[in-house]
Amino acid sequence: MDTSPALLLLLALGFCCPGIYGQSLEIKVGSPKDISQLQVGQRLELECRADRNSGAFWIHKDKKGTLHFIVFISSAAKTTFGNQRKATHFQASKHNTIYYLTVKSFTPQDEGNYFCVMNYNQMLYFSPGQPAFLPATTVAPTTCEPTTKGGKTEDPNLKTPDPERRMQEDLNFFCHIFIWVPLAGACVLLLIALVITLVLCQQTRRRRCRCKR
């Protein structure tokens, strides 16, 4: 996480305690352009409007819920970024009580919610989050064209097995296994029992014949 421990603690308190949200300080975050169809590499522009000139933090909350400190813009328009990478990836500025944040080239790692945070009268005030996400990608279904063979048109879909029929065939196969395997086992056992009985009977007859002599 790209935040100092002190800032992290303040942010956690701000997100956990509803009373810290703007009570006497109004903050609004939005985009001057339509960002409902963001694309990779696109320039994302956000603005934070407030009724106080007390400096502002820009915070990014990614899709996993992790907070990332981006930049602090002082009341004198001085910017302090979290690290050098953010200084090259983002751009920040200020005009009156409007604080601007620009993502120079939007990437999937930039998806999430963006917050504007202000420290006023020793209290943190959070703006509503501004979502910025890439559109969900959908895979178009593939269609099979009929092929011509020997002057006749063959539809590949006709060769595709019906899932319900395939399932029924599998069920029938398993039913046959459960029925015929025990039956075959029982027949084998009966055959073994019959052989044993015949052997015992043969031995008994031999003993009787010896006793009569």
Side-chain angles (χ1 to χ4, degrees):
M1 187 179 294
D2 303 327
T3 54
S4 64
L7 179 59
L8 176 61
L9 178 60
L10 291 175
L11 292 175
L13 289 174
F15 277 100
C16 295
C17 305
I20 295 181
Y21 283 82
Q23 296 174 341
S24 60
L25 182 62
E26 184 178 358
I27 309 174
K28 294 181 179 180
V29 173
S31 175
K33 298 181 179 180
D34 181 21
I35 60 174
S36 60
Q37 295 294 326
L38 269 176
Q39 300 296 329
V40 175
Q42 183 177 336
R43 185 180 178 91
L44 172 64
E45 297 178 357
L46 300 174
E47 58 183 26
C48 171
R49 297 177 177 269
D51 54 2
R52 297 285 192 281
N53 186 16
S54 59
F57 297 89
W58 277 103
I59 305 297
H60 172 220
K61 186 178 182 182
D62 62 22
K63 293 189 294 185
K64 296 180 180 179
T66 305
L67 299 177
H68 302 272
F69 165 65
I70 300 176
V71 64
F72 171 69
I73 309 173
S74 68
S75 57
K78 181 180 178 181
T79 59
T80 304
F81 286 90
N83 52 44
Q84 186 60 32
R85 188 191 68 82
K86 286 184 171 58
T88 57
H89 187 65
F90 296 93
Q91 182 179 345
S93 60
K94 172 184 176 294
H95 179 69
N96 294 331
T97 58
I98 303 176
Y99 300 84
Y100 299 96
L101 177 69
T102 301
V103 184
K104 297 179 181 179
S105 179
F106 197 83
T107 66
Q109 287 73 25
D110 297 318
E111 289 185 292
N113 287 276
Y114 289 82
F115 296 88
C116 184
V117 184
M118 290 188 173
N119 185 8
Y120 180 69
N121 285 340
Q122 298 181 350
M123 291 186 66
L124 284 179
Y125 294 90
F126 282 71
S127 71
Q130 172 60 49
F133 293 93
L134 295 170
T137 57
T138 56
V139 180
T142 56
T143 57
C144 299
E145 297 181 356
T147 57
T148 304
K149 184 178 180 181
K152 296 182 179 180
T153 301
E154 296 182 357
D155 190 356
N157 294 327
L158 297 177
K159 297 182 180 180
T160 304
D162 187 5
E164 294 184 358
R165 183 179 178 183
R166 179 68 180 272
M167 185 180 297
Q168 186 64 36
E169 291 177 355
D170 292 339
L171 289 175
N172 292 337
F173 175 73
F174 285 114
C175 286
H176 289 321
I177 290 178
F178 285 122
I179 292 173
W180 290 107
V181 168
L183 221 92
C187 291
V188 171
L189 291 176
L190 286 173
L191 184 60
I192 293 173
L194 182 60
V195 171
I196 293 174
T197 304
L198 291 175
V199 171
L200 292 176
C201 289
Q202 190 68 24
Q203 290 179 355
T204 305
R205 287 180 181 178
R206 289 179 180 177
R207 289 178 183 177
R208 288 180 180 176
C209 292
R210 291 176 183 178
C211 290
K212 288 182 180 179
R213 290 179 183 178

